[in-house]
Amino acid sequence: MIRALSTPPAMSSGCLSRAPQPVLPVGDGLLLRPWERADAAAFLSVYQDEETRRWHTHRPSTVAQVEEWFDGYRLDWERERGCHFAVVREDGDVLGRVALRGLDFDDGVANAAYWVLPAARGAGVATRALAALSAWALDDIGFWRLELDHSTRNAASCRVATKAGYRLEGTKRNAAVHDDGRHDMHLHARVRGDR
């Protein structure tokens, strides 16, 4: 369905797809880069972790399924539907994932998501990766607002969001289903100009 807007879109189409997905520096020896087939085993391993499974109900079960997800990630970039990055050390070791999904160029809004492998937890990897992705999306690409949500029971995710500059805006009651039932979700946002 084509929407008739009374205002011009906040962002022009092509702002992502006209160039290959970039490699973004995070600092401290970390990079954000597109997912590669060689990353599939590391990607799959995080979904074997009980803590990850607690918060992520959409999860792959085989390397082949992960590779299909990676194909989808490449299409998301080409079709300007999402930006999915591996968080890696400069030597290539995968530490986590950050992404922007639900891209809305009319309003200039996207939704952020992230996870890190168990061995990378507690070292600020998720916070630094999310902050780098957010700065790129707001300052370089031209988004106006980035949102993320997480279960109100996920204190670690709340700390990551807050430390990366995402202000807590409220609670979405009964908003998501996890393996143990329905959860209230915290809504955080970072807007252009926030520091």
Side-chain angles (χ1 to χ4, degrees), residues 64-84:
Q65 196 172 34
V66 171
E67 290 172 347
E68 288 176 15
W69 284 25
F70 289 176
D71 291 341
Y73 291 169
R74 279 185 283 287
L75 282 175
D76 279 355
W77 179 266
E78 293 168 10
R79 295 176 182 168
E80 297 187 313
R81 293 188 316 212
C83 313
H84 307 268

Side-chain angles (χ1 to χ4, degrees), residues 94-116:
V94 174
L95 299 178
R97 170 183 184 258
V98 292
L100 293 176
R101 305 174 297 187
L103 309 184
D104 180 344
F105 287 4
D106 290 342
D107 291 329
V109 177
N111 298 299
Y114 48 88
W115 52 248
V116 293

Side-chain angles (χ1 to χ4, degrees), residues 96-146:
R97 170 183 184 258
V98 292
L100 293 176
R101 305 174 297 187
L103 309 184
D104 180 344
F105 287 4
D106 290 342
D107 291 329
V109 177
N111 298 299
Y114 48 88
W115 52 248
V116 293
L117 286 130
R121 292 185 187 140
V125 171
T127 300
R128 290 187 313 232
L130 179 61
L133 177 70
S134 303
W136 169 77
L138 293 164
D139 300 337
D140 296 345
I141 301 304
F143 284 98
W144 286 90
R145 176 182 171 88
L146 304 177

Side-chain angles (χ1 to χ4, degrees), residues 1 5 13-14 60 83-84 95 116 127 132-133 137 150 156 164 168 183 188-190:
M1 172 193 241
L5 295 175
S13 75
C83 313
H84 307 268
L95 299 178
V116 293
T127 300
L133 177 70
H150 61 80
L168 178 60
H183 284 229
H188 293 258
R190 181 169 163 177

Side-chain angles (χ1 to χ4, degrees), residues 3-138:
R3 277 182 29 185
L5 295 175
S6 63
T7 58
M11 302 168 61
S12 61
S13 75
C15 64
L16 293 177
S17 63
R18 68 174 156 246
Q21 185 174 344
V23 174
L24 305 174
V26 173
D28 299 322
L30 299 179
L31 301 169
L32 306 182
R33 64 155 169 78
W35 288 97
E36 301 170 354
R37 289 250 188 243
D39 302 327
F43 188 100
L44 181 62
S45 75
V46 79
Y47 291 96
Q48 309 313 308
D49 171 63
E50 188 174 318
E51 187 68 9
T52 303
R53 294 174 71 80
R54 182 175 183 199
W55 308 119
H56 297 271
T57 57
H58 186 207
R59 45 194 183 227
S61 56
T62 66
V63 167
Q65 196 172 34
V66 171
E67 290 172 347
E68 288 176 15
W69 284 25
F70 289 176
D71 291 341
Y73 291 169
R74 279 185 283 287
L75 282 175
D76 279 355
W77 179 266
E78 293 168 10
R79 295 176 182 168
E80 297 187 313
R81 293 188 316 212
C83 313
H84 307 268
F85 290 90
V87 182
V88 299
R89 288 193 182 103
E90 288 176 337
D91 65 8
D93 285 348
V94 174
L95 299 178
R97 170 183 184 258
V98 292
L100 293 176
R101 305 174 297 187
L103 309 184
D104 180 344
F105 287 4
D106 290 342
D107 291 329
V109 177
N111 298 299
Y114 48 88
W115 52 248
V116 293
L117 286 130
R121 292 185 187 140
V125 171
T127 300
R128 290 187 313 232
L130 179 61
L133 177 70
S134 303
W136 169 77
L138 293 164

